[in-house]
Amino acid sequence: MKIVIGNDHAATALKFEIVDYLKSLGHEVINIGTDTTESCNYPEYGEKVGRMVVAGEADCGVLICGTGVGISIAANKVPGVRAAVCSDTATARLVKEHNNANIIAFGARIVGSELAKDIVKAYLDAEFAGGRHQTRIDLIHEIEKRG
Ligand code: RB5
């Protein structure tokens, strides 16, 4: 898969670990930064990853900030994005199966690197279940259209 990854300054070290992990699984990774620990603004990275995923420039996205919350809120402002913050592997699996999340997010100040890798793996290994879940996703996108 082609996976785009973005983060803020709180998550740079973990981001590099996840990039290496994704590559070790055979994925192509597009890293849009930040690559330093200099303070920056997470909305910029959330939006960029969101736009790339919706445009089809990547199959899915990974976002990391201190909590995973701010950067996912930003990404979710891009129409078509379904970014989900996960701190456990069961949620990571279910956000693909039920919500067809196209971006997974987590917090570098919340999860350790081993759990973060397991979260990403659980998400990537899962498959969207479709059916009634697609109906609900369609309803979410109706909300977007209403503005
Ligand atoms: C940065 O200090 C922090 O606010 C950010 O990484 C994130 O946790 C916001 O949701």
Side-chain angles (χ1 to χ4, degrees), residues 16-54:
F16 283 123
E17 280 198 59
I18 298 298
V19 167
D20 288 346
Y21 178 63
L22 290 170
K23 286 181 178 172
S24 79
L25 295 176
H27 298 291
E28 181 182 345
V29 182
I30 306 168
N31 169 27
I32 60 103
T34 184
D35 288 344
T36 77
T37 54
E38 190 179 332
S39 184
C40 65
N41 298 315
Y42 58 76
E44 178 187 337
Y45 301 94
E47 180 183 7
K48 189 163 186 183
V49 166
R51 292 205 185 280
M52 288 180 72
V53 169
V54 170

PDB file of all heavy atoms in Angstrom, residues 16-54:
ATOM      1  N   PHE A  16       9.227   8.500  12.930  1.00  0.00           N
ATOM      2  CA  PHE A  16      10.308   7.798  12.225  1.00  0.00           C
ATOM      3  C   PHE A  16      10.274   6.293  12.523  1.00  0.00           C
ATOM      4  O   PHE A  16      10.558   5.471  11.637  1.00  0.00           O
ATOM      5  CB  PHE A  16      11.666   8.405  12.580  1.00  0.00           C
ATOM      6  CG  PHE A  16      11.923   9.705  11.863  1.00  0.00           C
ATOM      7  CD1 PHE A  16      12.200  10.863  12.565  1.00  0.00           C
ATOM      8  CD2 PHE A  16      11.888   9.767  10.470  1.00  0.00           C
ATOM      9  CE1 PHE A  16      12.438  12.066  11.902  1.00  0.00           C
ATOM     10  CE2 PHE A  16      12.117  10.969   9.795  1.00  0.00           C
ATOM     11  CZ  PHE A  16      12.398  12.115  10.519  1.00  0.00           C
ATOM     12  N   GLU A  17       9.916   5.937  13.738  1.00  0.00           N
ATOM     13  CA  GLU A  17       9.795   4.503  14.065  1.00  0.00           C
ATOM     14  C   GLU A  17       8.687   3.857  13.246  1.00  0.00           C
ATOM     15  O   GLU A  17       8.827   2.731  12.756  1.00  0.00           O
ATOM     16  CB  GLU A  17       9.494   4.306  15.554  1.00  0.00           C
ATOM     17  CG  GLU A  17      10.709   4.416  16.447  1.00  0.00           C
ATOM     18  CD  GLU A  17      10.449   3.803  17.813  1.00  0.00           C
ATOM     19  OE1 GLU A  17      10.131   2.601  17.881  1.00  0.00           O
ATOM     20  OE2 GLU A  17      10.560   4.549  18.807  1.00  0.00           O
ATOM     21  N   ILE A  18       7.581   4.579  13.102  1.00  0.00           N
ATOM     22  CA  ILE A  18       6.448   4.028  12.345  1.00  0.00           C
ATOM     23  C   ILE A  18       6.783   3.962  10.853  1.00  0.00           C
ATOM     24  O   ILE A  18       6.412   3.006  10.160  1.00  0.00           O
ATOM     25  CB  ILE A  18       5.167   4.853  12.609  1.00  0.00           C
ATOM     26  CG1 ILE A  18       4.776   4.786  14.091  1.00  0.00           C
ATOM     27  CG2 ILE A  18       4.014   4.372  11.729  1.00  0.00           C
ATOM     28  CD1 ILE A  18       4.451   3.400  14.603  1.00  0.00           C
ATOM     29  N   VAL A  19       7.492   4.948  10.353  1.00  0.00           N
ATOM     30  CA  VAL A  19       7.916   4.910   8.941  1.00  0.00           C
ATOM     31  C   VAL A  19       8.754   3.650   8.698  1.00  0.00           C
ATOM     32  O   VAL A  19       8.515   2.897   7.740  1.00  0.00           O
ATOM     33  CB  VAL A  19       8.712   6.178   8.566  1.00  0.00           C
ATOM     34  CG1 VAL A  19       9.407   5.992   7.211  1.00  0.00           C
ATOM     35  CG2 VAL A  19       7.796   7.396   8.527  1.00  0.00           C
ATOM     36  N   ASP A  20       9.730   3.420   9.570  1.00  0.00           N
ATOM     37  CA  ASP A  20      10.582   2.233   9.408  1.00  0.00           C
ATOM     38  C   ASP A  20       9.755   0.949   9.496  1.00  0.00           C
ATOM     39  O   ASP A  20       9.979   0.003   8.730  1.00  0.00           O
ATOM     40  CB  ASP A  20      11.673   2.214  10.493  1.00  0.00           C
ATOM     41  CG  ASP A  20      12.733   3.269  10.246  1.00  0.00           C
ATOM     42  OD1 ASP A  20      12.781   3.820   9.122  1.00  0.00           O
ATOM     43  OD2 ASP A  20      13.509   3.550  11.178  1.00  0.00           O
ATOM     44  N   TYR A  21       8.811   0.945  10.417  1.00  0.00           N
ATOM     45  CA  TYR A  21       7.969  -0.244  10.599  1.00  0.00           C
ATOM     46  C   TYR A  21       7.129  -0.508   9.354  1.00  0.00           C
ATOM     47  O   TYR A  21       7.061  -1.648   8.859  1.00  0.00           O
ATOM     48  CB  TYR A  21       7.082  -0.061  11.829  1.00  0.00           C
ATOM     49  CG  TYR A  21       6.149  -1.218  12.080  1.00  0.00           C
ATOM     50  CD1 TYR A  21       6.641  -2.490  12.367  1.00  0.00           C
ATOM     51  CD2 TYR A  21       4.765  -1.040  12.020  1.00  0.00           C
ATOM     52  CE1 TYR A  21       5.778  -3.556  12.587  1.00  0.00           C
ATOM     53  CE2 TYR A  21       3.911  -2.103  12.241  1.00  0.00           C
ATOM     54  CZ  TYR A  21       4.409  -3.362  12.516  1.00  0.00           C
ATOM     55  OH  TYR A  21       3.555  -4.413  12.729  1.00  0.00           O
ATOM     56  N   LEU A  22       6.511   0.544   8.837  1.00  0.00           N
ATOM     57  CA  LEU A  22       5.671   0.380   7.639  1.00  0.00           C
ATOM     58  C   LEU A  22       6.508  -0.112   6.462  1.00  0.00           C
ATOM     59  O   LEU A  22       6.076  -0.983   5.696  1.00  0.00           O
ATOM     60  CB  LEU A  22       4.979   1.701   7.299  1.00  0.00           C
ATOM     61  CG  LEU A  22       3.872   2.136   8.274  1.00  0.00           C
ATOM     62  CD1 LEU A  22       3.438   3.565   7.968  1.00  0.00           C
ATOM     63  CD2 LEU A  22       2.683   1.185   8.204  1.00  0.00           C
ATOM     64  N   LYS A  23       7.701   0.420   6.328  1.00  0.00           N
ATOM     65  CA  LYS A  23       8.584  -0.034   5.234  1.00  0.00           C
ATOM     66  C   LYS A  23       8.969  -1.496   5.429  1.00  0.00           C
ATOM     67  O   LYS A  23       9.045  -2.255   4.464  1.00  0.00           O
ATOM     68  CB  LYS A  23       9.827   0.855   5.166  1.00  0.00           C
ATOM     69  CG  LYS A  23       9.536   2.237   4.582  1.00  0.00           C
ATOM     70  CD  LYS A  23      10.806   3.074   4.507  1.00  0.00           C
ATOM     71  CE  LYS A  23      10.517   4.431   3.880  1.00  0.00           C
ATOM     72  NZ  LYS A  23      11.677   5.342   3.958  1.00  0.00           N
ATOM     73  N   SER A  24       9.183  -1.892   6.685  1.00  0.00           N
ATOM     74  CA  SER A  24       9.551  -3.292   6.958  1.00  0.00           C
ATOM     75  C   SER A  24       8.411  -4.247   6.594  1.00  0.00           C
ATOM     76  O   SER A  24       8.648  -5.428   6.333  1.00  0.00           O
ATOM     77  CB  SER A  24       9.947  -3.477   8.426  1.00  0.00           C
ATOM     78  OG  SER A  24       8.788  -3.560   9.260  1.00  0.00           O
ATOM     79  N   LEU A  25       7.186  -3.712   6.580  1.00  0.00           N
ATOM     80  CA  LEU A  25       6.023  -4.531   6.182  1.00  0.00           C
ATOM     81  C   LEU A  25       5.825  -4.514   4.667  1.00  0.00           C
ATOM     82  O   LEU A  25       4.894  -5.137   4.154  1.00  0.00           O
ATOM     83  CB  LEU A  25       4.752  -4.007   6.866  1.00  0.00           C
ATOM     84  CG  LEU A  25       4.668  -4.115   8.395  1.00  0.00           C
ATOM     85  CD1 LEU A  25       3.390  -3.458   8.907  1.00  0.00           C
ATOM     86  CD2 LEU A  25       4.743  -5.563   8.854  1.00  0.00           C
ATOM     87  N   GLY A  26       6.669  -3.754   3.973  1.00  0.00           N
ATOM     88  CA  GLY A  26       6.608  -3.724   2.511  1.00  0.00           C
ATOM     89  C   GLY A  26       5.788  -2.592   1.928  1.00  0.00           C
ATOM     90  O   GLY A  26       5.525  -2.576   0.717  1.00  0.00           O
ATOM     91  N   HIS A  27       5.388  -1.636   2.753  1.00  0.00           N
ATOM     92  CA  HIS A  27       4.575  -0.533   2.258  1.00  0.00           C
ATOM     93  C   HIS A  27       5.454   0.603   1.727  1.00  0.00           C
ATOM     94  O   HIS A  27       6.581   0.799   2.170  1.00  0.00           O
ATOM     95  CB  HIS A  27       3.673   0.009   3.373  1.00  0.00           C
ATOM     96  CG  HIS A  27       2.704  -1.005   3.885  1.00  0.00           C
ATOM     97  ND1 HIS A  27       1.651  -1.464   3.119  1.00  0.00           N
ATOM     98  CD2 HIS A  27       2.635  -1.680   5.066  1.00  0.00           C
ATOM     99  CE1 HIS A  27       0.967  -2.366   3.818  1.00  0.00           C
ATOM    100  NE2 HIS A  27       1.543  -2.513   4.995  1.00  0.00           N
ATOM    101  N   GLU A  28       4.873   1.342   0.795  1.00  0.00           N
ATOM    102  CA  GLU A  28       5.512   2.572   0.320  1.00  0.00           C
ATOM    103  C   GLU A  28       5.029   3.701   1.237  1.00  0.00           C
ATOM    104  O   GLU A  28       3.834   3.823   1.489  1.00  0.00           O
ATOM    105  CB  GLU A  28       5.088   2.841  -1.127  1.00  0.00           C
ATOM    106  CG  GLU A  28       5.719   4.075  -1.732  1.00  0.00           C
ATOM    107  CD  GLU A  28       5.223   4.336  -3.149  1.00  0.00           C
ATOM    108  OE1 GLU A  28       4.623   3.404  -3.761  1.00  0.00           O
ATOM    109  OE2 GLU A  28       5.408   5.454  -3.632  1.00  0.00           O
ATOM    110  N   VAL A  29       5.961   4.510   1.733  1.00  0.00           N
ATOM    111  CA  VAL A  29       5.595   5.538   2.699  1.00  0.00           C
ATOM    112  C   VAL A  29       5.961   6.922   2.165  1.00  0.00           C
ATOM    113  O   VAL A  29       7.081   7.141   1.706  1.00  0.00           O
ATOM    114  CB  VAL A  29       6.303   5.314   4.056  1.00  0.00           C
ATOM    115  CG1 VAL A  29       5.865   6.365   5.068  1.00  0.00           C
ATOM    116  CG2 VAL A  29       6.019   3.918   4.589  1.00  0.00           C
ATOM    117  N   ILE A  30       4.981   7.828   2.221  1.00  0.00           N
ATOM    118  CA  ILE A  30       5.233   9.239   1.888  1.00  0.00           C
ATOM    119  C   ILE A  30       5.218  10.003   3.210  1.00  0.00           C
ATOM    120  O   ILE A  30       4.181  10.077   3.881  1.00  0.00           O
ATOM    121  CB  ILE A  30       4.143   9.806   0.960  1.00  0.00           C
ATOM    122  CG1 ILE A  30       3.974   8.941  -0.282  1.00  0.00           C
ATOM    123  CG2 ILE A  30       4.473  11.244   0.574  1.00  0.00           C
ATOM    124  CD1 ILE A  30       2.720   9.277  -1.092  1.00  0.00           C
ATOM    125  N   ASN A  31       6.353  10.538   3.600  1.00  0.00           N
ATOM    126  CA  ASN A  31       6.474  11.280   4.852  1.00  0.00           C
ATOM    127  C   ASN A  31       6.397  12.780   4.556  1.00  0.00           C
ATOM    128  O   ASN A  31       7.280  13.333   3.919  1.00  0.00           O
ATOM    129  CB  ASN A  31       7.804  10.929   5.518  1.00  0.00           C
ATOM    130  CG  ASN A  31       8.127  11.859   6.670  1.00  0.00           C
ATOM    131  OD1 ASN A  31       7.236  12.418   7.304  1.00  0.00           O
ATOM    132  ND2 ASN A  31       9.409  12.011   6.940  1.00  0.00           N
ATOM    133  N   ILE A  32       5.330  13.435   5.047  1.00  0.00           N
ATOM    134  CA  ILE A  32       5.173  14.860   4.760  1.00  0.00           C
ATOM    135  C   ILE A  32       5.609  15.736   5.943  1.00  0.00           C
ATOM    136  O   ILE A  32       5.410  16.946   5.928  1.00  0.00           O
ATOM    137  CB  ILE A  32       3.727  15.196   4.313  1.00  0.00           C
ATOM    138  CG1 ILE A  32       2.682  14.840   5.384  1.00  0.00           C
ATOM    139  CG2 ILE A  32       3.394  14.505   2.998  1.00  0.00           C
ATOM    140  CD1 ILE A  32       2.161  16.010   6.153  1.00  0.00           C
ATOM    141  N   GLY A  33       6.247  15.089   6.959  1.00  0.00           N
ATOM    142  CA  GLY A  33       6.773  15.865   8.075  1.00  0.00           C
ATOM    143  C   GLY A  33       5.761  16.121   9.172  1.00  0.00           C
ATOM    144  O   GLY A  33       4.655  15.605   9.102  1.00  0.00           O
ATOM    145  N   THR A  34       6.221  16.883  10.121  1.00  0.00           N
ATOM    146  CA  THR A  34       7.481  17.547  10.304  1.00  0.00           C
ATOM    147  C   THR A  34       8.568  16.536  10.668  1.00  0.00           C
ATOM    148  O   THR A  34       8.270  15.499  11.271  1.00  0.00           O
ATOM    149  CB  THR A  34       7.386  18.647  11.383  1.00  0.00           C
ATOM    150  OG1 THR A  34       8.625  19.345  11.475  1.00  0.00           O
ATOM    151  CG2 THR A  34       7.043  18.066  12.722  1.00  0.00           C
ATOM    152  N   ASP A  35       9.805  16.875  10.355  1.00  0.00           N
ATOM    153  CA  ASP A  35      10.899  15.961  10.658  1.00  0.00           C
ATOM    154  C   ASP A  35      11.787  16.492  11.773  1.00  0.00           C
ATOM    155  O   ASP A  35      12.851  15.936  12.029  1.00  0.00           O
ATOM    156  CB  ASP A  35      11.727  15.704   9.388  1.00  0.00           C
ATOM    157  CG  ASP A  35      10.981  14.818   8.397  1.00  0.00           C
ATOM    158  OD1 ASP A  35       9.983  14.171   8.802  1.00  0.00           O
ATOM    159  OD2 ASP A  35      11.381  14.779   7.229  1.00  0.00           O
ATOM    160  N   THR A  36      11.359  17.573  12.423  1.00  0.00           N
ATOM    161  CA  THR A  36      12.145  18.123  13.530  1.00  0.00           C
ATOM    162  C   THR A  36      11.255  18.208  14.776  1.00  0.00           C
ATOM    163  O   THR A  36      10.042  17.995  14.704  1.00  0.00           O
ATOM    164  CB  THR A  36      12.663  19.536  13.209  1.00  0.00           C
ATOM    165  OG1 THR A  36      11.578  20.475  13.351  1.00  0.00           O
ATOM    166  CG2 THR A  36      13.243  19.614  11.806  1.00  0.00           C
ATOM    167  N   THR A  37      11.882  18.568  15.886  1.00  0.00           N
ATOM    168  CA  THR A  37      11.120  18.734  17.131  1.00  0.00           C
ATOM    169  C   THR A  37      10.855  20.211  17.418  1.00  0.00           C
ATOM    170  O   THR A  37      10.402  20.560  18.507  1.00  0.00           O
ATOM    171  CB  THR A  37      11.871  18.098  18.316  1.00  0.00           C
ATOM    172  OG1 THR A  37      13.191  18.638  18.367  1.00  0.00           O
ATOM    173  CG2 THR A  37      11.933  16.593  18.180  1.00  0.00           C
ATOM    174  N   GLU A  38      11.105  21.034  16.421  1.00  0.00           N
ATOM    175  CA  GLU A  38      10.791  22.460  16.560  1.00  0.00           C
ATOM    176  C   GLU A  38       9.273  22.643  16.563  1.00  0.00           C
ATOM    177  O   GLU A  38       8.573  22.039  15.731  1.00  0.00           O
ATOM    178  CB  GLU A  38      11.409  23.220  15.388  1.00  0.00           C
ATOM    179  CG  GLU A  38      11.357  24.729  15.536  1.00  0.00           C
ATOM    180  CD  GLU A  38      12.011  25.415  14.335  1.00  0.00           C
ATOM    181  OE1 GLU A  38      12.918  24.801  13.729  1.00  0.00           O
ATOM    182  OE2 GLU A  38      11.585  26.518  13.999  1.00  0.00           O
ATOM    183  N   SER A  39       8.778  23.456  17.470  1.00  0.00           N
ATOM    184  CA  SER A  39       7.331  23.615  17.615  1.00  0.00           C
ATOM    185  C   SER A  39       6.675  24.025  16.288  1.00  0.00           C
ATOM    186  O   SER A  39       7.150  24.920  15.585  1.00  0.00           O
ATOM    187  CB  SER A  39       7.041  24.679  18.683  1.00  0.00           C
ATOM    188  OG  SER A  39       5.649  24.772  18.887  1.00  0.00           O
ATOM    189  N   CYS A  40       5.587  23.344  15.968  1.00  0.00           N
ATOM    190  CA  CYS A  40       4.873  23.632  14.715  1.00  0.00           C
ATOM    191  C   CYS A  40       3.379  23.486  14.979  1.00  0.00           C
ATOM    192  O   CYS A  40       2.958  23.210  16.102  1.00  0.00           O
ATOM    193  CB  CYS A  40       5.343  22.694  13.600  1.00  0.00           C
ATOM    194  SG  CYS A  40       4.929  20.960  13.911  1.00  0.00           S
ATOM    195  N   ASN A  41       2.576  23.666  13.962  1.00  0.00           N
ATOM    196  CA  ASN A  41       1.116  23.650  14.112  1.00  0.00           C
ATOM    197  C   ASN A  41       0.522  22.414  13.424  1.00  0.00           C
ATOM    198  O   ASN A  41       0.577  22.284  12.200  1.00  0.00           O
ATOM    199  CB  ASN A  41       0.525  24.932  13.530  1.00  0.00           C
ATOM    200  CG  ASN A  41       1.027  26.160  14.268  1.00  0.00           C
ATOM    201  OD1 ASN A  41       1.059  26.184  15.495  1.00  0.00           O
ATOM    202  ND2 ASN A  41       1.462  27.174  13.531  1.00  0.00           N
ATOM    203  N   TYR A  42      -0.068  21.545  14.231  1.00  0.00           N
ATOM    204  CA  TYR A  42      -0.563  20.265  13.699  1.00  0.00           C
ATOM    205  C   TYR A  42      -1.637  20.392  12.606  1.00  0.00           C
ATOM    206  O   TYR A  42      -1.737  19.509  11.753  1.00  0.00           O
ATOM    207  CB  TYR A  42      -1.044  19.354  14.838  1.00  0.00           C
ATOM    208  CG  TYR A  42      -2.122  19.939  15.708  1.00  0.00           C
ATOM    209  CD1 TYR A  42      -3.439  20.021  15.282  1.00  0.00           C
ATOM    210  CD2 TYR A  42      -1.822  20.445  16.977  1.00  0.00           C
ATOM    211  CE1 TYR A  42      -4.427  20.567  16.072  1.00  0.00           C
ATOM    212  CE2 TYR A  42      -2.801  21.003  17.779  1.00  0.00           C
ATOM    213  CZ  TYR A  42      -4.100  21.070  17.323  1.00  0.00           C
ATOM    214  OH  TYR A  42      -5.078  21.621  18.102  1.00  0.00           O
ATOM    215  N   PRO A  43      -2.472  21.480  12.577  1.00  0.00           N
ATOM    216  CA  PRO A  43      -3.495  21.506  11.514  1.00  0.00           C
ATOM    217  C   PRO A  43      -2.911  21.431  10.104  1.00  0.00           C
ATOM    218  O   PRO A  43      -3.514  20.813   9.206  1.00  0.00           O
ATOM    219  CB  PRO A  43      -4.232  22.832  11.760  1.00  0.00           C
ATOM    220  CG  PRO A  43      -4.059  23.075  13.223  1.00  0.00           C
ATOM    221  CD  PRO A  43      -2.659  22.594  13.525  1.00  0.00           C
ATOM    222  N   GLU A  44      -1.757  22.029   9.921  1.00  0.00           N
ATOM    223  CA  GLU A  44      -1.117  22.017   8.595  1.00  0.00           C
ATOM    224  C   GLU A  44      -0.868  20.582   8.122  1.00  0.00           C
ATOM    225  O   GLU A  44      -1.126  20.231   6.966  1.00  0.00           O
ATOM    226  CB  GLU A  44       0.218  22.775   8.709  1.00  0.00           C
ATOM    227  CG  GLU A  44       1.041  22.815   7.459  1.00  0.00           C
ATOM    228  CD  GLU A  44       2.413  23.423   7.732  1.00  0.00           C
ATOM    229  OE1 GLU A  44       2.573  24.184   8.717  1.00  0.00           O
ATOM    230  OE2 GLU A  44       3.343  23.134   6.955  1.00  0.00           O
ATOM    231  N   TYR A  45      -0.404  19.741   9.022  1.00  0.00           N
ATOM    232  CA  TYR A  45      -0.056  18.365   8.656  1.00  0.00           C
ATOM    233  C   TYR A  45      -1.306  17.490   8.540  1.00  0.00           C
ATOM    234  O   TYR A  45      -1.385  16.623   7.670  1.00  0.00           O
ATOM    235  CB  TYR A  45       0.959  17.805   9.663  1.00  0.00           C
ATOM    236  CG  TYR A  45       2.203  18.656   9.685  1.00  0.00           C
ATOM    237  CD1 TYR A  45       2.355  19.688  10.613  1.00  0.00           C
ATOM    238  CD2 TYR A  45       3.197  18.483   8.723  1.00  0.00           C
ATOM    239  CE1 TYR A  45       3.469  20.517  10.604  1.00  0.00           C
ATOM    240  CE2 TYR A  45       4.319  19.301   8.700  1.00  0.00           C
ATOM    241  CZ  TYR A  45       4.438  20.322   9.648  1.00  0.00           C
ATOM    242  OH  TYR A  45       5.541  21.135   9.609  1.00  0.00           O
ATOM    243  N   GLY A  46      -2.264  17.755   9.414  1.00  0.00           N
ATOM    244  CA  GLY A  46      -3.524  17.016   9.314  1.00  0.00           C
ATOM    245  C   GLY A  46      -4.224  17.293   7.997  1.00  0.00           C
ATOM    246  O   GLY A  46      -4.712  16.380   7.316  1.00  0.00           O
ATOM    247  N   GLU A  47      -4.274  18.553   7.622  1.00  0.00           N
ATOM    248  CA  GLU A  47      -4.932  18.912   6.365  1.00  0.00           C
ATOM    249  C   GLU A  47      -4.199  18.303   5.166  1.00  0.00           C
ATOM    250  O   GLU A  47      -4.824  17.760   4.256  1.00  0.00           O
ATOM    251  CB  GLU A  47      -5.003  20.430   6.195  1.00  0.00           C
ATOM    252  CG  GLU A  47      -5.687  20.804   4.890  1.00  0.00           C
ATOM    253  CD  GLU A  47      -5.739  22.297   4.619  1.00  0.00           C
ATOM    254  OE1 GLU A  47      -5.124  23.075   5.376  1.00  0.00           O
ATOM    255  OE2 GLU A  47      -6.387  22.664   3.621  1.00  0.00           O
ATOM    256  N   LYS A  48      -2.876  18.385   5.188  1.00  0.00           N
ATOM    257  CA  LYS A  48      -2.118  17.897   4.034  1.00  0.00           C
ATOM    258  C   LYS A  48      -2.319  16.391   3.828  1.00  0.00           C
ATOM    259  O   LYS A  48      -2.578  15.938   2.705  1.00  0.00           O
ATOM    260  CB  LYS A  48      -0.625  18.216   4.211  1.00  0.00           C
ATOM    261  CG  LYS A  48       0.189  17.941   2.971  1.00  0.00           C
ATOM    262  CD  LYS A  48       1.540  18.626   3.021  1.00  0.00           C
ATOM    263  CE  LYS A  48       2.253  18.444   1.688  1.00  0.00           C
ATOM    264  NZ  LYS A  48       3.597  19.009   1.671  1.00  0.00           N
ATOM    265  N   VAL A  49      -2.228  15.642   4.905  1.00  0.00           N
ATOM    266  CA  VAL A  49      -2.446  14.191   4.791  1.00  0.00           C
ATOM    267  C   VAL A  49      -3.882  13.910   4.348  1.00  0.00           C
ATOM    268  O   VAL A  49      -4.125  13.078   3.470  1.00  0.00           O
ATOM    269  CB  VAL A  49      -2.110  13.489   6.127  1.00  0.00           C
ATOM    270  CG1 VAL A  49      -2.654  12.059   6.142  1.00  0.00           C
ATOM    271  CG2 VAL A  49      -0.607  13.483   6.352  1.00  0.00           C
ATOM    272  N   GLY A  50      -4.826  14.636   4.921  1.00  0.00           N
ATOM    273  CA  GLY A  50      -6.225  14.443   4.533  1.00  0.00           C
ATOM    274  C   GLY A  50      -6.451  14.699   3.054  1.00  0.00           C
ATOM    275  O   GLY A  50      -7.113  13.904   2.369  1.00  0.00           O
ATOM    276  N   ARG A  51      -5.909  15.781   2.566  1.00  0.00           N
ATOM    277  CA  ARG A  51      -6.113  16.108   1.140  1.00  0.00           C
ATOM    278  C   ARG A  51      -5.454  15.072   0.242  1.00  0.00           C
ATOM    279  O   ARG A  51      -5.996  14.720  -0.820  1.00  0.00           O
ATOM    280  CB  ARG A  51      -5.603  17.518   0.837  1.00  0.00           C
ATOM    281  CG  ARG A  51      -6.433  18.596   1.503  1.00  0.00           C
ATOM    282  CD  ARG A  51      -6.379  19.938   0.813  1.00  0.00           C
ATOM    283  NE  ARG A  51      -7.098  20.934   1.586  1.00  0.00           N
ATOM    284  CZ  ARG A  51      -8.433  21.081   1.586  1.00  0.00           C
ATOM    285  NH1 ARG A  51      -9.181  20.306   0.826  1.00  0.00           N
ATOM    286  NH2 ARG A  51      -9.013  21.998   2.342  1.00  0.00           N
ATOM    287  N   MET A  52      -4.299  14.579   0.637  1.00  0.00           N
ATOM    288  CA  MET A  52      -3.618  13.577  -0.198  1.00  0.00           C
ATOM    289  C   MET A  52      -4.408  12.272  -0.245  1.00  0.00           C
ATOM    290  O   MET A  52      -4.505  11.636  -1.300  1.00  0.00           O
ATOM    291  CB  MET A  52      -2.202  13.329   0.327  1.00  0.00           C
ATOM    292  CG  MET A  52      -1.269  14.501   0.037  1.00  0.00           C
ATOM    293  SD  MET A  52       0.394  14.227   0.635  1.00  0.00           S
ATOM    294  CE  MET A  52       0.962  12.992  -0.539  1.00  0.00           C
ATOM    295  N   VAL A  53      -4.980  11.888   0.884  1.00  0.00           N
ATOM    296  CA  VAL A  53      -5.762  10.641   0.911  1.00  0.00           C
ATOM    297  C   VAL A  53      -7.017  10.785   0.059  1.00  0.00           C
ATOM    298  O   VAL A  53      -7.337   9.926  -0.766  1.00  0.00           O
ATOM    299  CB  VAL A  53      -6.112  10.248   2.369  1.00  0.00           C
ATOM    300  CG1 VAL A  53      -7.142   9.122   2.398  1.00  0.00           C
ATOM    301  CG2 VAL A  53      -4.851   9.838   3.123  1.00  0.00           C
ATOM    302  N   VAL A  54      -7.720  11.904   0.225  1.00  0.00           N
ATOM    303  CA  VAL A  54      -8.963  12.111  -0.537  1.00  0.00           C
ATOM    304  C   VAL A  54      -8.660  12.222  -2.037  1.00  0.00           C
ATOM    305  O   VAL A  54      -9.446  11.747  -2.871  1.00  0.00           O
ATOM    306  CB  VAL A  54      -9.712  13.356  -0.011  1.00  0.00           C
ATOM    307  CG1 VAL A  54     -10.863  13.733  -0.936  1.00  0.00           C
ATOM    308  CG2 VAL A  54     -10.233  13.092   1.399  1.00  0.00           C
TER     309      VAL A  54
END
